[in-house]
Amino acid sequence: MDSPPLYLPLLLLTCLLTFWQGAGAQSLFTIDSVTLKLDPSGEVTSGTLMNLNCEVSVSHDQSNPMTHSFNFLRDDVLVYSKNTTESAALHQLNPARAANSGTYKCQVIVQDKSKGSRTHRLTVTGLQTPVLQVTSQILFEGDEVTATCSAPDESGSLLFHFYQDQEKIKQVRASGNSVGTRLELKHAGDKHLRCYFEITMLPDAGRSNNSNTVMVMVKELFITPVMNILPGKDVIEGDIVEFVCRVVNPPSNVTVFLNKDKRVLKTASISLSHSLRVLAEDSGEYVCKVERGNVQKEAYESIKVKELFSKPVLVMKPREVFETERFTLNCDTDRYSHERINIGDVKFSLYRNQVLLTSGGNYTATAHPSLNGNYSCQAQAQGRGQTKKIFKNSTQIVLKAKLPVSVPLLSVVGDRLILGKPFQLQCQSDNGSLPITYTLLSPHRQAEFRVVRRPWDLALFNITSIHRSSDIHSFSCKAENNPSQPYMKSSGDHLRRTATIIEPVSRPVLTLTPKMGDVAEGEDLTLTCTVQRGTPPITYTWYHTKSALPLLSKITNDMRLSHSFQGVSREHGGGYYCVTNNPSNDSQRSAMVTVGVKLAGWKKGLIAAFCILLTVSLIIIILVKKCLLPFRRERTVELSVKPASTKTDETLRLTHGEVNEAANVTPGVMGRSVWSDHVSGSESDDQTSEETTEVPEPQYTEVHPQEVGPTRAPVKKGTDTVYSEVRNSNQGESASEQADGQGSVEYAQLNHNDHESEEPEHEPRPEPEPEPEQGSEQDGQLE
């Protein structure tokens, strides 16, 4: 491999040093201003010399001039650019044209900075008058000429318009200031051509003046065709007809066509001849057309072809045939040309599926699937003086023997019938050609008809309801598709065998065992739900009014079903009902039955024994109280008061009930005598309790002496404070003891007041006789 030249490293080093020096010598500068001047300014006419001068002012710290990049923009599109160290740049429009109109701006770039001038609007009015040129001024009609329209001094995208006399014949868009196009001049005569243009980017600039007018002479092209028909225009089928089409004194490049019904029969240059053995369908108009370039001229002639014999007609009787029925095919023609043939000269042949079936015009057979197919007839004849036979075919007949309808089957749609509800019956035959007419018969309703015309149609009949299973036998169905044959009928026996008849359940009856509806606790309870009618299986469901959820649900084929509770309790009381259902989905609910749960016998005996025992206890207590009443009265009379203590304060030992009496009640207030009975016989009987054997801890309370009534003599109260010892009585303390205590307090209080009024203040009181001790504690002892 050759080594690189020695100058390459030196060149690379020089470039690097230059770049480094340029980077290191980055100067400081600023672009002060950019000014654009248009001379002349504003609006100018087309063809004017236009100067666009751009000046820039730059402040910098270098002595060497800086390079300025001047960019002239028209409508923000760059139209001219110049790089110079000068502080100004000139852009000339020589001459200015309408395409130069727009908004101009000058953008100056110095290194990495740029600045733009103010924008200036330039409007150039007027367009150049275009020039029209053609390649030839003498043509034949239909020839094309090339025309060129140009505006050499204009620029931009131009749209050129071409006119022939006063008629616009073409317009062409061009990117330059000139365009050439081919123009077709159709008719003979002198044609005057002209053009003008528009600037597509400046619609306000308007259109230019018309170009110069160029006259082109168009000569007529004598190529009129001539058509002849031999032997004539009226012919008979089988005749040979010749069509001749030609041009007299034709120019070069002429083509001749023979057409019929827009179909080209033959084509040739200058002239042609076409022979045809005609048939009736060849009658009509023929066209001889001559064409040269874009010029076409035509000639028209018509012929009428008379039928040698008419098209044969094939007839089948009957038109619709069922299997095993006889049918006949007959082929015939109703017209023929007496000049050329006799009626016996026409021969017929019958074909099935394009295969010869028989020679002759008649055919008879019994319909069978093997004979189904497409039948046609062909007639042939040869006229006098003709060399070839004429063949004509009839229209095809499609034979498809119909299948007789079979015995229809009557069925329930869905195979399920619910008594009392609407349902549908379907009548259908397995075999039979469509259309089939189905009729539903019933002695209790009017006959209904359904016609099935398509394979996917069904004969459905809507039935309101039946209420007995035997009613299904009353329905029958008949089907027919051939009026000439008897209809086929079905009975309701098949319907009875195939349909599932569902009878809805009747309203159930709920019974109880035991029948009274009241059952004692611990006994068994049976709920029996019974229906009179209904197709099994039947669903039985029991409900209790105390719960929204069912107690039990069972499915069975029986007409009754039971649900038992063993050892009922109080929670089993309340209302019960049952709901029945079967495949009819028609639920029935029984009436509600109320069950009462009584107490068990042993509980009743226990309650009775307790009541008797309680009654006997109360009687004994009452008798005991009555026996003790005289003794308590005697003890109350003998109650004594203890002498006062030597202390200035008298201390009373009282029961809890006596404290309240001593502190708040005086004998007068109580309204009864000190010696009165405090406990009645009834109170004694009701307040029986046991005496407490435990002596409660004494409690002391301050008792103020009673105030003396205003009618009594004043007595010296002194400053004595009476302390009473109060013993808390137990809750079970007897009523008799409370009565005794109360009596003691009253007695003691009365004596205390009497002694205070009669005796001196410090005179000691006689000590009362001690009371006999009864029980563990006596109520209301006074100290």
Side-chain angles (χ1 to χ4, degrees):
M1 184 176 181
D2 296 338
S3 60
L6 294 177
Y7 66 86
L8 286 180
L10 295 176
L11 181 61
L12 179 61
L13 181 60
T14 302
C15 293
L16 291 175
L17 290 175
T18 303
F19 175 76
W20 177 79
Q21 289 176 356
Q26 189 75 24
S27 62
L28 300 176
F29 69 94
T30 180
I31 302 176
D32 298 327
S33 64
V34 177
T35 304
L36 176 65
K37 294 181 180 180
L38 275 65
D39 184 24
S41 61
E43 182 176 317
V44 298
T45 59
S46 178
T48 304
L49 174 63
M50 191 74 194
N51 293 323
L52 285 77
N53 188 24
C54 183
E55 297 180 357
V56 62
S57 175
V58 179
S59 299
H60 55 87
D61 61 349
Q62 291 186 358
S63 58
N64 296 328
M66 303 187 70
T67 301
H68 310 134
S69 178
F70 292 89
N71 298 297
F72 293 85
L73 308 176
R74 182 181 69 235
D75 299 330
D76 292 331
V77 178
L78 181 66
V79 294
Y80 179 73
S81 178
K82 182 179 181 181
N83 293 331
T84 180
T85 58
E86 301 292 334
S87 60
L90 178 64
H91 173 47
Q92 285 188 332
L93 303 177
N94 187 18
R97 297 299 179 185
N100 301 129
S101 299
T103 301
Y104 284 83
K105 179 181 179 180
C106 179
Q107 189 81 18
V108 178
I109 302 174
V110 180
Q111 294 184 7
D112 58 346
K113 295 183 180 181
S114 68
K115 191 168 186 176
S117 68
R118 292 191 308 108
T119 58
H120 295 269
R121 178 68 185 177
L122 173 63
T123 302
V124 181
T125 60
L127 297 175
Q128 180 186 6
T129 300
V131 177
L132 177 64
Q133 295 176 338
V134 296
T135 56
S136 177
Q137 291 183 283
I138 300 176
L139 304 172
F140 285 101
E141 57 179 342
D143 288 347
E144 291 183 347
V145 62
T146 300
T148 302
C149 187
S150 61
D153 296 333
E154 296 292 344
S155 61
S157 177
L158 304 181
L159 180 64
F160 292 90
H161 302 265
F162 294 87
Y163 277 76
Q164 174 185 307
D165 296 328
Q166 301 301 320
E167 179 186 1
K168 181 178 179 179
I169 57 177
K170 202 170 189 180
Q171 72 176 24
V172 182
R173 187 182 302 273
S175 58
N177 53 18
S178 177
V179 67
T181 184
R182 296 182 65 82
L183 302 179
E184 179 186 354
L185 305 179
K186 295 182 179 180
H187 304 290
D190 295 336
K191 309 299 178 182
H192 298 83
L193 304 180
R194 57 186 174 85
C195 70
Y196 72 87
F197 68 90
E198 296 175 324
I199 299 178
T200 57
M201 301 302 294
L202 297 173
D204 296 336
R207 48 161 288 181
S208 69
N209 295 326
N210 290 330
S211 69
N212 57 305
T213 301
V214 177
M215 187 183 73
V216 177
M217 183 175 64
V218 180
K219 297 181 178 181
E220 183 179 1
L221 189 62
F222 296 98
I223 55 172
T224 303
V226 176
M227 183 169 61
N228 300 107
I229 300 176
L230 302 173
K233 298 180 181 179
D234 293 330
V235 292
I236 300 176
E237 284 183 318
D239 292 346
I240 297 177
V241 178
E242 182 180 8
F243 299 88
V244 178
C245 184
R246 59 190 178 85
V247 179
V248 180
N249 298 322
S252 60
N253 301 326
V254 174
T255 304
V256 180
F257 299 87
L258 179 64
N259 301 339
K260 182 179 186 298
D261 299 333
K262 297 182 179 181
R263 182 170 60 91
V264 177
L265 301 179
K266 193 173 183 180
T267 181
S269 298
I270 302 176
S271 64
L272 62 82
S273 176
H274 177 62
S275 298
L276 177 67
R277 187 181 296 275
V278 295
L279 298 175
E281 54 266 25
D282 293 327
S283 298
E285 185 180 64
Y286 290 78
V287 180
C288 178
K289 180 184 289 186
V290 179
E291 183 177 87
R292 182 181 182 274
N294 293 326
V295 179
Q296 294 180 348
K297 294 192 176 182
E298 301 169 343
Y300 300 90
E301 293 291 344
S302 297
I303 66 171
K304 182 177 180 182
V305 181
K306 183 179 179 182
E307 288 183 323
L308 183 63
F309 57 91
S310 62
K311 183 179 179 178
V313 177
L314 180 62
V315 178
M316 184 179 72
K317 297 182 180 180
R319 185 65 188 88
E320 293 182 349
V321 60
F322 286 80
E323 291 183 6
T324 70
E325 290 184 345
R326 300 282 292 175
F327 70 95
T328 300
L329 294 175
N330 183 32
C331 184
D332 198 2
T333 180
D334 53 359
R335 296 187 307 276
Y336 63 96
S337 175
H338 300 278
E339 300 90 354
R340 300 291 178 90
I341 60 172
N342 297 322
I343 187 60
D345 295 337
V346 181
K347 306 298 180 181
F348 299 97
S349 301
L350 292 177
Y351 292 83
R352 183 180 75 239
N353 299 330
Q354 307 300 324
V355 177
L356 180 63
L357 180 65
T358 182
S359 295
N362 297 305
Y363 177 74
T364 302
T366 301
H368 188 270
S370 61
L371 296 181
N372 292 342
N374 297 325
Y375 288 81
S376 63
C377 169
Q378 185 182 78
Q380 60 178 336
Q382 181 175 351
R384 290 184 289 271
Q386 296 179 347
T387 59
K388 289 187 177 181
K389 293 182 178 180
I390 300 298
F391 295 89
K392 293 185 179 182
N393 295 318
S394 69
T395 303
Q396 286 187 348
I397 292 179
V398 179
L399 173 61
K400 186 177 180 180
K402 287 192 171 186
L403 186 64
V405 66
S406 61
V407 176
L409 296 178
L410 191 61
S411 60
V412 177
V413 177
D415 298 329
R416 233 174 54 149
L417 185 155
I418 300 175
L419 297 180
K421 290 188 177 182
F423 62 95
Q424 282 187 322
L425 292 178
Q426 178 181 353
C427 190
Q428 183 178 11
S429 296
D430 293 335
N431 298 314
S433 299
L434 299 177
I436 300 175
T437 301
Y438 295 94
T439 307
L440 182 67
L441 304 174
S442 176
H444 308 296
R445 55 188 291 127
Q446 189 176 0
E448 294 186 42
F449 303 92
R450 299 287 187 272
V451 179
V452 175
R453 303 182 184 278
R454 295 169 296 185
W456 54 86
D457 289 343
L458 299 176
L460 300 177
F461 301 90
N462 296 319
I463 310 301
T464 304
S465 64
I466 60 174
H467 298 281
R468 295 187 304 272
S469 300
S470 58
D471 292 344
I472 201 68
H473 294 286
S474 63
F475 292 98
S476 62
C477 171
K478 69 176 183 179
E480 55 184 338
N481 65 348
N482 186 4
S484 62
Q485 292 183 352
Y487 61 83
M488 307 303 291
K489 182 177 180 181
S490 69
S491 63
D493 295 337
H494 174 76
L495 185 63
R496 175 67 178 174
R497 292 192 303 268
T498 57
T500 301
I501 301 177
I502 299 173
E503 183 179 11
V505 292
S506 59
R507 186 178 182 185
V509 177
L510 181 63
T511 56
L512 303 177
T513 303
K515 296 183 179 181
M516 297 301 294
D518 292 335
V519 61
E521 290 181 324
E523 292 183 353
D524 295 341
L525 174 64
T526 300
L527 305 176
T528 302
C529 192
T530 306
V531 295
Q532 299 298 324
R533 299 180 307 277
T535 301
I538 301 174
T539 302
Y540 295 86
T541 307
W542 288 269
Y543 290 88
H544 191 196
T545 55
K546 293 182 179 181
S547 174
L549 299 176
L551 297 174
L552 181 67
S553 183
K554 287 185 178 181
I555 300 176
T556 181
N557 292 331
D558 298 333
M559 305 301 286
R560 59 185 296 167
L561 192 62
S562 299
H563 174 49
S564 299
F565 298 97
Q566 294 182 352
V568 298
S569 61
R570 303 287 289 183
E571 290 77 11
H572 290 93
Y576 289 87
Y577 63 92
C578 70
V579 176
T580 56
N581 198 356
N582 69 344
S584 69
N585 293 324
D586 188 7
S587 300
Q588 296 291 332
R589 173 177 168 170
S590 70
M592 186 180 298
V593 176
T594 303
V595 176
V597 180
K598 301 180 293 185
L599 288 174
W602 65 272
K603 290 185 179 181
K604 291 182 180 180
L606 182 60
I607 294 173
F610 177 75
C611 292
I612 293 172
L613 181 59
L614 181 60
T615 303
V616 171
S617 300
L618 292 175
I619 293 173
I620 293 173
I621 293 171
I622 292 172
L623 292 177
V624 171
K625 290 294 183 181
K626 286 186 178 181
C627 291
L628 294 178
L629 182 59
F631 173 73
R632 291 184 178 179
R633 287 180 179 175
E634 181 180 356
R635 190 180 66 171
T636 303
V637 173
E638 294 175 355
L639 234 157
S640 61
V641 180
K642 291 184 180 181
S645 65
T646 58
K647 298 180 182 178
T648 59
D649 297 335
E650 294 179 0
T651 303
L652 298 177
R653 187 175 62 179
L654 304 173
T655 65
H656 181 68
E658 292 168 339
V659 171
N660 294 331
E661 295 292 339
N664 302 321
V665 182
T666 63
V669 175
M670 293 173 62
R672 56 186 174 181
S673 172
V674 175
W675 311 106
S676 62
D677 294 336
H678 301 291
V679 180
S680 65
S682 62
E683 291 172 347
S684 175
D685 294 338
D686 295 336
Q687 299 176 357
T688 59
S689 62
E690 296 180 359
E691 295 182 354
T692 59
T693 58
E694 183 181 354
V695 179
E697 199 66 30
Q699 296 180 1
Y700 294 90
T701 182
E702 183 178 86
V703 181
H704 297 281
Q706 298 273 344
E707 292 185 0
V708 182
T711 59
R712 297 185 60 181
V715 294
K716 181 182 179 182
K717 292 184 182 180
T719 59
D720 294 343
T721 300
V722 179
Y723 291 90
S724 62
E725 180 179 299
V726 182
R727 297 182 182 273
N728 289 328
S729 61
N730 292 331
Q731 189 176 358
E733 202 170 2
S734 66
S736 61
E737 292 173 346
Q738 294 177 6
D740 291 344
Q742 185 178 1
S744 301
V745 172
E746 291 176 354
Y747 178 78
Q749 187 178 19
L750 182 58
N751 278 326
H752 177 71
N753 293 336
D754 290 343
H755 283 284
E756 282 184 325
S757 62
E758 292 177 0
E759 293 184 1
E761 182 178 357
H762 299 290
E763 185 178 354
R765 296 181 182 177
E767 253 178 78
E769 292 288 335
E771 291 181 4
E773 294 183 2
Q774 293 183 0
S776 62
E777 284 290 329
Q778 293 294 332
D779 298 327
Q781 282 187 348
L782 185 63
E783 293 182 358

